[in-house]
Amino acid sequence: MTFEEILPRLKEGEKIIRKGWSGCEIGVIIVNEAVYEGKTVTPHFLIQTSDEGYSMFSPTVCDILAEDWQVVV
């Protein structure tokens, strides 16, 4: 799937991943509502990896143009 095709699924709460990634990536999620130190945090992507837990994710141009996105089942 393309990023444009998978984005609605991500917005619905599903976890996504690229087939072409190395293997330590577990998936990308979107966080729509969060609060930190009493202040609202804007929506953002997190990526879960097998060795580090969650960290911020910003898709690269290669990620956006890729056609190997899939929903994690």
Side-chain angles (χ1 to χ4, degrees), residues 43-71:
H44 55 281
F45 298 127
L46 293 179
I47 187 167
Q48 184 181 12
T49 60
S50 59
D51 56 348
E52 295 181 3
Y54 285 99
S55 59
M56 296 295 295
F57 175 72
S58 295
T60 65
V61 171
C62 290
D63 291 327
I64 293 170
L65 296 176
E67 296 183 356
D68 63 346
W69 286 99
Q70 57 190 27
V71 174

